[in-house]
Amino acid sequence: MQSSPSSSSSKQRYALVGTGGRAPMFLDPIADTYRDSCELVGLCDISATRLAWHQQRLALAYGTTPPPAYAAADFDRMIAEQKPDTVIVCTPDYTHHEYIVRALDAGCDVISEKPLTTSADNYTAISDAVRRSGRTVRTTFNYRWGIGATTVRRLIAEGAIGKVKHVDFEYMLNTSHGADYFRRWHSYKKYSGGLLVHKSTHHFDLVNWWIDAIPDTVFAMGDLVFYGKDNAVARGQEALTAYPRYTGEPKAAGDPFRFDLQRDPTLKALYLDAEADSGYLRDQNVFREGIDIEDTMSVMVRYRTGAMLSYSLNAFCPCEGFRVSITGDAGRIEYVEEHASHIITGDRDIKIESHGDEPTRLTLHPLFEAPRRVPIPKVDAPHGGGDPLIQEQIFSAHPPADPFRRGAGHEQGAASLLIGAAANRALATGQPVRIADIAELKSGARHLSQLI
Ligand SMILES: NC(=O)c1ccc[n+]([C@@H]2O[C@H](COP(=O)([O-])OP(=O)(O)OC[C@H]3O[C@@H](n4cnc5c(N)ncnc54)[C@H](O)[C@@H]3O)[C@@H](O)[C@H]2O)c1
């Protein structure tokens, strides 16, 4: 690991911890589009191989001097030596709060990948650190920035359906993207908080932001009914459980869940080649023993505004996407997104099958009027085109004004993760959970926009 002296340039200085698959979302715009106003001053990870891979990749792609790399144990030294203005946290979810708190206490601002953290207690530690440091935390809810999600927000803010009373949100993960959460750290609740935190934080945040409301009470049911060894054996698919991982396994040749790290140069370099120094296996069998997260979940939420949410998530669907119906006292919005499996770089590509209809469609039903389609511009980019927009907002020296208030601080980050944390407690106890009983979230406020 190397170190370098801090520069005296006026550029915003960024250090990033967690150089895995998501890191390019932040590293590349800093090194490329926003290089005139931003500077990468340090990378930190438990894996020297992944660190070196990103260093080489950035140097090759952008002709820049690679930022110095630090082992995870040297995170504090990285901050002391490189003096970043902002630390970007892109590690597995259960470590977010540790790095956020340490960065804040060292005088840095923080950009954290979602979920902000995995539990109510961890959130309280973050909130305390924000208060004592006077620094800020930004939660990168990129789904808000998708063109369709923004259109829903605009319509509701314009009063197109009146005051929102109820939301029905059904999310489907397919057997490609959904299965991927069961291959690695996400499949253990202590690392990801389960999909109710790791994945649903996107969905709960969309609802909180769309209807501008703070959640109050949560009830949930959930189970592991498809992945895991017992479920495969019960379906008569014991053969799928016969190997601990997929890469290099001849018996997995016909397995629809196979995931061969050697088939993709990036996956090989980032994960297979780094196994020796990190012990991280990226391609474990989704039908192995020990998986303790749910693949099927139902959640009910009552908001401080009185609105209700009925939410479901299934992680083994043939199709992927979501349907949401938002009912107000002056009408209803029905919004559908049918996704391709764009996040996966595994063995199988899945196409969008929208049966002749638009894969992204929004219908506005005003009370006592004929329903009408609201056009959603086509965007051929991941996350509905949200990633480049949030990058511009974060890294541009002069970000455009955002009338939709798509930025989220630590409190708005908490508003969605606390629904997941409360849902996890409801699963464990069989009882509804009041969020005020697990964490403080600006008591007296009713609207999300009142939170930082
Ligand atoms: N917003 C989105 O759409 C989106 C998409 C993907 C991932 N994410 C989030 O980004 C984060 C990273 O996800 P990923 O897919 O890149 O995961 P990953 O497993 O590919 O990468 C995680 C990296 O963190 C490193 N790491 C693990 N423990 C560490 C520690 N204690 N200290 C320092 N480094 C450590 C690993 O070595 C690895 O390089 C997660 O919080 C995830 O929820 C967000």
Side-chain angles (χ1 to χ4, degrees):
M1 307 279 159
Q2 51 179 314
S3 67
S4 80
S6 57
S7 87
S8 57
S9 96
S10 60
K11 294 179 181 182
Q12 280 294 304
R13 301 169 64 78
Y14 291 91
L16 179 141
V17 58
T19 53
R22 185 63 176 162
M25 156 81 183
F26 303 97
L27 299 179
D28 290 51
I30 296 174
D32 187 18
T33 312
Y34 302 104
R35 65 201 301 170
D36 291 342
S37 55
C38 301
E39 191 178 4
L40 269 175
V41 299
L43 300 178
C44 180
D45 201 286
I46 55 169
S47 165
T49 307
R50 274 191 283 278
L51 282 166
W53 185 78
H54 278 290
Q55 283 181 311
Q56 284 162 18
R57 185 183 67 77
L58 290 168
L60 269 175
Y62 308 113
T64 50
T65 310
Y70 291 82
D74 293 327
F75 176 78
D76 298 322
R77 183 163 69 81
M78 173 177 77
I79 295 184
E81 288 179 356
Q82 302 303 334
K83 300 184 175 40
D85 299 299
T86 303
V87 171
I88 301 169
V89 177
C90 213
T91 50
D93 308 346
Y94 75 105
T95 64
H96 285 185
H97 68 292
E98 291 176 16
Y99 287 117
I100 293 171
V101 169
R102 283 159 72 185
L104 290 169
D105 283 339
C108 305
D109 290 326
V110 173
I111 294 170
S112 174
E113 254 303 351
K114 49 56 56 178
L116 180 66
T117 182
T118 49
S119 75
D121 288 348
N122 293 346
Y123 168 63
T124 302
I126 292 170
S127 175
D128 290 347
V130 170
R131 209 170 295 123
R132 70 176 169 261
S133 68
R135 308 310 306 184
T136 63
V137 178
R138 187 195 289 246
T139 315
T140 50
F141 284 130
N142 49 332
Y143 279 31
R144 289 190 188 186
W145 295 79
I147 183 74
T150 298
T151 306
V152 173
R153 171 75 194 127
R154 177 177 62 75
L155 287 171
I156 294 174
E158 287 171 357
I161 58 169
K163 284 200 168 55
V164 173
K165 301 296 181 186
H166 188 268
V167 181
D168 199 344
F169 195 141
E170 177 193 23
Y171 205 98
M172 295 150 279
L173 291 165
N174 63 33
T175 44
S176 181
H177 182 202
D180 211 34
Y181 296 108
F182 295 82
R183 296 188 174 109
R184 45 188 179 139
W185 53 265
H186 311 66
S187 57
Y188 302 104
K189 210 157 240 197
K190 65 180 179 184
Y191 296 144
S192 67
L195 293 180
L196 285 168
V197 170
H198 175 82
K199 189 70 194 171
S200 308
T201 190
H202 276 307
H203 315 147
F204 295 144
D205 176 65
L206 281 180
V207 177
N208 298 348
W209 172 66
W210 279 334
I211 71 172
D212 194 21
I214 299 174
D216 180 83
T217 306
V218 179
F219 184 62
M221 293 186 190
D223 209 345
L224 180 68
V225 300
F226 184 82
Y227 300 106
K229 181 163 184 175
D230 291 350
N231 291 315
V233 170
R235 286 194 301 274
Q237 296 178 324
E238 193 157 5
L240 297 181
T241 73
Y243 27 87
R245 63 182 301 181
Y246 298 106
T247 301
E249 175 54 66
K251 281 189 262 176
D255 185 336
F257 295 89
R258 72 184 178 273
F259 190 76
D260 190 342
L261 295 171
Q262 295 179 106
R263 286 189 75 244
D264 179 290
T266 297
L267 288 175
K268 178 179 177 303
L270 206 48
Y271 300 106
L272 190 62
D273 296 349
E275 285 178 6
D277 68 27
S278 65
Y280 177 5
L281 302 182
R282 172 72 180 76
D283 63 330
Q284 295 178 81
N285 193 320
V286 299
F287 300 115
R288 70 189 187 284
E289 284 175 339
I291 293 172
D292 67 357
I293 63 167
E294 298 79 22
D295 55 22
T296 306
M297 290 137 275
S298 289
V299 180
M300 292 174 73
V301 181
R302 169 74 91 166
Y303 282 85
R304 292 184 191 171
T305 58
M308 287 169 262
L309 164 67
S310 174
Y311 168 86
S312 71
L313 173 63
N314 282 281
F316 53 93
C317 295
C319 49
E320 176 143 335
F322 66 90
R323 294 163 190 281
V324 60
S325 306
I326 307 174
T327 305
D329 56 13
R332 175 175 165 98
I333 285 170
E334 291 175 358
Y335 179 61
V336 176
E337 285 192 18
E338 289 166 356
H339 294 168
S341 167
H342 58 255
I343 300 169
I344 274 290
T345 47
D347 281 10
R348 295 170 312 134
D349 287 326
I350 295 176
K351 292 210 167 56
I352 296 177
E353 291 294 348
S354 49
H355 315 293
D357 209 339
E358 290 294 329
T360 299
R361 48 190 187 271
L362 195 161
T363 309
L364 175 63
H365 300 254
L367 267 186
F368 313 120
E369 286 179 34
R372 62 182 167 87
R373 274 282 168 92
V374 176
I376 306 285
K378 280 198 173 50
V379 177
D380 187 19
H383 304 131
D387 286 357
L389 295 180
I390 196 170
Q391 287 164 349
E392 180 184 35
Q393 197 66 208
I394 293 172
F395 297 124
S396 168
H398 305 288
D402 178 25
F404 306 109
R405 303 174 71 162
R406 289 171 286 193
H410 66 292
E411 292 177 345
Q412 294 195 17
S416 84
L417 94 84
L418 290 172
I419 298 178
N424 275 331
R425 185 175 287 203
L427 292 184
T429 62
Q431 300 295 320
V433 176
R434 292 207 63 202
I435 286 181
D437 291 340
I438 60 172
E440 158 75 30
L441 203 54
K442 204 170 271 180
S443 55
R446 296 168 74 225
H447 298 287
L448 192 78
S449 52
Q450 293 173 272
L451 302 182
I452 297 166

